[in-house]
Amino acid sequence: RMIAQAADEAVEDASSKLLNIMSKGDTTLRSSRLAAETCLLSECNAAHSCLKSIVALERASLEERLKKLEVLETAVDTIDVRRDIDNYIRNDKLMPGGRSKFGSDDDGGIAAALATLNSHERNHVPESSLPRIYQPDFFEGWSEEDEGAVDVEQLDELEPRVVKETIELLFSEEGEEITSDGGESMPPPIKLLCRALSLKKRGSAYRQALLYELNSQRSRTTLVKRKSSFKLLCDIFNSFLEGCGHEAKDVKMLMILSQTFYRIREKGEDSDDSDNDSSDEGHERSGRLYVKSSLTHHDVWRTDSFWDEALGQCVSEALTKSGVLSSYSNDSNAGREVKNGTDLKWHDLDPHEYAGVASQVHSVVFAQLG
């Protein structure tokens, strides 16, 4: 019995020791796991703090760059390109070794301006850029190529008096709206006149007759009372443009006349072409519809050759009126030997005068473009 009791005590002691060992092992495992989790959390917090520091540094850098960019933007907004270039060229010419007016680095267009002036002086014919308006006594006969454009049986009706009678009919103050007997919008005589005006070559005399009659009419009255008459007048103007093509003189005269003849707008009618003028005269003109409003979309305005010819005529006429070389021909201090009755040429000028002449030519050309 004593032996059994001693063995039982030995078993209890052994189980207690084993339990203590297992408890220490569990405590150690839990402590190591807690330590590992603590280290992981510290590492994540450190990484987060590092990212926040990087973002803060980047924000500070961007804010500093933004301030510099705002200063740069303000400086760029204050730049005046033309003024800066003018100042640079002006200062550069004043400095030794700067751009000269006649050096190899000069790009002032002096030679081109002198060439334009020389061409004008050689080819100049003293005439206006507007056509000479006259009343033809008769119209030329029709060629074979023109017979298909009009009815042969009606050729005898195309006389100068037809143009005059047509204009008088359109501007007559009495009578009903103009229509043909067949209910068409254009009577046969006016339709035949429009066809004749639209011809390229043979229609030139008709266009001259129309300009003459319209020019005479504006001294009497410029108001078209009837709406149908105004529409027919617009059709005649459009036929005129179809025929004259690139004849800039006739077109310019026609456009002057198109800004002369008008009708009174009806109530509720749009006024797209009225001038924004607050004066009493402007209010009066805003109630008018001019013939030019029907010509704004014509194909002739989209033709480069027409604008080239029109600009050339305007520049030539402006050069004639400006008399670029006349001021130099009267310069007694230059000591030039120009024979009486002989015009001064560009090669008669002194080299230092070229720039002044070119500047005047440039001013004339750009004034016409404006």
Side-chain angles (χ1 to χ4, degrees):
R1 186 175 178 181
M2 292 178 61
I3 296 172
Q5 189 176 359
D8 184 53
E9 291 177 357
V11 171
E12 289 181 0
D13 293 340
S15 62
S16 297
K17 291 181 180 179
L18 178 60
L19 184 61
N20 290 333
I21 293 173
M22 292 178 64
S23 177
K24 291 180 180 179
D26 183 59
T27 302
T28 303
L29 180 61
R30 292 177 61 189
S31 299
S32 60
R33 184 175 180 178
L34 183 60
E37 292 178 352
T38 304
C39 292
L40 179 61
L41 180 60
S42 300
E43 180 184 2
C44 293
N45 289 330
H48 180 234
S49 300
C50 181
L51 290 175
K52 291 180 64 176
S53 300
I54 292 175
V55 171
L57 291 174
E58 190 67 23
R59 176 185 294 276
S61 177
L62 290 176
E63 290 178 351
E64 184 179 358
R65 291 185 61 188
L66 182 60
K67 292 180 181 179
K68 294 181 179 179
L69 184 61
E70 290 177 352
V71 175
L72 179 61
E73 184 180 10
T74 303
V76 170
D77 290 340
T78 58
I79 292 177
D80 187 340
V81 177
R82 290 183 177 272
R83 182 188 61 191
D84 292 345
I85 292 177
D86 290 342
N87 292 336
Y88 169 77
I89 294 175
R90 187 182 301 107
N91 295 329
D92 191 49
K93 285 183 177 181
L94 296 176
M95 297 177 62
R99 288 175 64 93
S100 63
K101 291 183 178 180
F102 307 106
S104 58
D105 57 351
D106 187 11
D107 190 24
I110 295 178
L114 294 178
T116 301
L117 185 61
N118 183 57
S119 176
H120 167 73
E121 295 294 335
R122 293 177 58 184
N123 303 323
H124 171 61
V125 177
E127 61 178 2
S128 172
S129 62
L130 296 177
R132 182 176 64 87
I133 301 177
Y134 63 93
Q135 183 181 25
D137 297 328
F138 61 93
F139 293 140
E140 298 179 3
W142 302 95
S143 63
E144 294 181 357
E145 63 180 8
D146 293 328
E147 289 182 359
V150 294
D151 296 333
V152 179
E153 294 79 4
Q154 298 176 341
L155 295 180
D156 294 337
E157 300 180 10
L158 296 175
E159 299 178 359
R161 62 176 179 81
V162 176
V163 182
K164 182 177 180 180
E165 293 174 355
T166 300
I167 298 302
E168 291 177 351
L169 176 63
L170 295 179
F171 284 89
S172 60
E173 299 183 1
E174 299 179 354
E176 300 178 354
E177 296 289 339
I178 302 176
T179 57
S180 63
D181 295 337
E184 298 178 358
S185 59
M186 184 179 298
I190 300 180
K191 187 175 183 179
L192 188 63
L193 175 61
C194 290
R195 288 184 177 181
L197 291 172
S198 63
L199 296 176
K200 300 296 182 183
K201 296 181 180 179
R202 297 297 182 181
S204 177
Y206 282 93
R207 290 190 286 273
Q208 292 299 325
L210 180 65
L211 291 178
Y212 176 84
E213 297 299 338
L214 290 175
N215 191 52
S216 301
Q217 177 62 39
R218 66 176 178 174
S219 63
R220 296 188 291 268
T221 180
T222 57
L223 172 63
V224 183
K225 293 294 185 67
R226 292 171 293 188
K227 187 175 181 179
S228 59
S229 299
F230 183 80
K231 183 180 183 303
L232 292 174
L233 183 63
C234 293
D235 293 338
I236 291 175
F237 271 67
N238 277 281
S239 299
F240 188 105
L241 291 179
E242 289 290 340
C244 65
H246 304 157
E247 299 174 4
K249 288 186 177 182
D250 290 344
V251 175
K252 289 171 62 178
M253 187 61 199
L254 187 74
M255 292 311 297
I256 292 176
L257 294 172
S258 71
Q259 301 178 72
T260 303
F261 303 112
Y262 66 95
R263 70 172 176 86
I264 303 301
R265 298 179 186 275
E266 298 177 351
K267 293 183 178 180
E269 191 172 1
D270 295 336
S271 56
D272 296 337
D273 63 330
S274 62
D275 299 329
N276 295 326
D277 191 351
S278 58
S279 62
D280 295 338
E281 182 180 357
H283 287 299
E284 181 182 357
R285 291 180 63 89
S286 65
R288 300 177 180 180
L289 180 64
Y290 287 87
V291 176
K292 69 174 183 179
S293 61
S294 67
L295 308 178
T296 54
H297 300 292
H298 199 277
D299 292 338
V300 70
W301 313 128
R302 292 188 286 270
T303 307
D304 293 339
S305 56
F306 164 75
W307 292 111
D308 292 341
E309 182 179 351
L311 177 60
Q313 290 182 4
C314 292
V315 170
S316 179
E317 184 179 8
L319 287 175
T320 301
K321 293 180 179 180
S322 62
V324 175
L325 294 177
S326 60
S327 60
Y328 292 90
S329 61
N330 298 328
D331 188 1
S332 59
N333 297 327
R336 300 187 185 90
E337 295 182 1
V338 181
K339 298 180 180 179
N340 294 331
T342 303
D343 294 333
L344 183 68
K345 306 297 182 183
W346 71 270
H347 47 75
D348 296 325
L349 300 173
D350 292 333
H352 69 273
E353 295 175 324
Y354 291 165
V357 173
S359 177
Q360 295 184 42
V361 175
H362 291 164
S363 299
V364 169
V365 173
F366 284 104
Q368 301 306 313
L369 290 174

